[in-house]
Amino acid sequence: MNLLVSRDVQPENSVVRVGDVAFGDGGFVVMAGPCSVENEEQLMACAEVIADCGGQLLRGGAFKPRTSPYEFQGLGEPGLKLLELARERYGLGIVTEVVTEADVDLVANYADLMQVGARNMQNFALLKALGRCGKPVLLKRGPSATLKEWLMAAEYVLANGNPDVVLCERGIRSFDSHTRNVCDITAVPAMKEMTHLPVILDPSHATGRRSLVAPLARAAVAVGADGLLVECHPNPDAALSDGAQSLDLTQFRQLMMTLPCRILKA
Ligand code: PEP
Ligand code: MN
């Protein structure tokens, strides 16, 4: 069967537009921000630095899919309102996660790009609803999903009427617990062979270690990724989620200055 996501059906790259930001046109898009939106001061500190050093989108979670029900679950709608405020102040489009079908309309009122988290990659009811949501979708790879399963998850969104899907590799489960996940860097060019959809890398969740984020970010450029998702925080050691993998704002600035695509463009 010819899938809508397949390069056989559409040989040329899809360009997914999020406001004036384009994925898949040969450029490199950096989306960054805190794992969780925690408060106004934290979010604005991130947004200011991201905008200042050339990041194109602000990403932060208001609804968080946490492994434990006792961990911080996100601020909910007040978090979405803080993201909206940051967009007004800094002109950055907003990327944020929707964890359940019931929240699709609510999140779509605020988000410019709707994130589907790794744990929800095969939540087919959610994928179908996102096919009808009118906003582009960022689809993370499930921690144990094959590339074919990931493609099929994207197919659900396209088949339900939404052609605007960006794929995000975020590491898979394997035997070595040294890193939080194992960064499947191969997945980036392998997916780009099979599909016309843009593919980005999330080196933060892929490694779980802040020291490994910049090297893997450079690898993303080298293998032809269309962009990056990076977690940063003004005070990572005090973060309510994913502090160990979050860059502080100075480290984020350094990363932006040393990405090879930027050096080549300069
Ligand atoms: C996140 O982006 O903060 C997140 C929860 O990621 P993942 O779904 O990849 O685990
Ligand atoms: Mn996170």
Side-chain angles (χ1 to χ4, degrees):
M1 194 186 134
N2 278 336
L3 298 176
L4 297 170
V5 295
S6 158
R7 276 227 190 256
D8 300 333
V9 167
Q10 181 188 312
E12 70 279 8
N13 288 339
S14 281
V15 176
V16 175
R17 292 185 195 283
V18 179
D20 55 9
V21 174
F23 291 85
D25 68 349
F28 194 79
V29 177
V30 177
M31 63 179 78
C35 178
S36 300
V37 176
E38 297 172 7
N39 54 60
E40 180 172 338
E41 195 188 357
Q42 171 238 23
L43 187 66
M44 300 304 155
C46 291
E48 184 179 6
V49 169
I50 293 162
D52 185 54
C53 56
Q56 293 100 319
L57 295 168
L58 175 64
R59 196 214 69 124
F63 294 97
K64 295 304 302 177
R66 304 304 303 281
T67 301
S68 161
Y70 306 113
E71 289 172 327
F72 180 56
Q73 303 285 306
L75 294 178
E77 190 168 7
L80 297 175
K81 288 192 191 297
L82 289 176
L83 288 163
E84 188 174 51
L85 188 65
R87 175 172 52 206
E88 276 165 27
R89 282 200 197 154
Y90 296 101
L92 296 167
I94 297 305
V95 188
T96 196
E97 179 161 352
V98 56
V99 297
T100 165
E101 188 192 350
D103 290 339
V104 167
D105 291 342
L106 172 70
V107 176
N109 277 335
Y110 295 90
D112 299 294
L113 177 59
M114 308 276 283
Q115 177 176 327
V116 179
R119 293 160 191 78
N120 258 328
M121 189 204 84
Q122 285 185 315
N123 179 339
F124 300 119
L126 178 62
L127 297 174
K128 285 180 188 174
L130 287 168
R132 301 182 291 263
C133 77
K135 292 280 169 86
V137 173
L138 178 68
L139 180 61
K140 289 191 144 197
R141 180 183 184 181
S144 329
T146 65
L147 299 187
K148 270 208 181 121
E149 287 165 337
W150 190 16
L151 279 175
M152 281 304 195
E155 186 75 10
Y156 263 88
V157 182
L158 270 68
N160 282 276
N162 187 351
D164 293 323
V165 175
V166 177
L167 299 162
C168 180
E169 166 62 42
R170 47 76 76 204
I172 52 175
R173 186 154 287 191
S174 187
F175 58 86
D176 192 339
S177 59
H178 178 74
T179 52
R180 183 179 182 186
N181 291 290
V182 170
C183 183
D184 185 5
I185 196 75
T186 310
V188 175
M191 287 296 272
K192 287 184 71 73
E193 268 179 11
M194 291 187 281
T195 178
H196 49 83
L197 297 173
V199 183
I200 70 167
L201 182 73
D202 167 358
S204 304
H205 295 86
T207 63
R209 289 176 179 249
R210 134 176 8 128
S211 65
L212 300 177
V213 169
L216 268 297
R218 291 191 285 271
V221 176
V223 295
D226 297 293
L228 279 180
L229 184 169
V230 176
E231 287 187 341
C232 59
H233 193 287
N235 182 6
D237 292 334
L240 295 182
S241 58
D242 288 354
Q245 67 195 33
S246 299
L247 302 180
D248 69 29
L249 298 179
T250 304
Q251 290 166 331
F252 178 73
R253 208 179 266 285
Q254 278 163 358
L255 167 68
M256 292 299 281
M257 283 173 358
T258 55
L259 278 179
C261 53
R262 304 208 154 251
I263 292 167
L264 290 173
K265 271 187 191 166

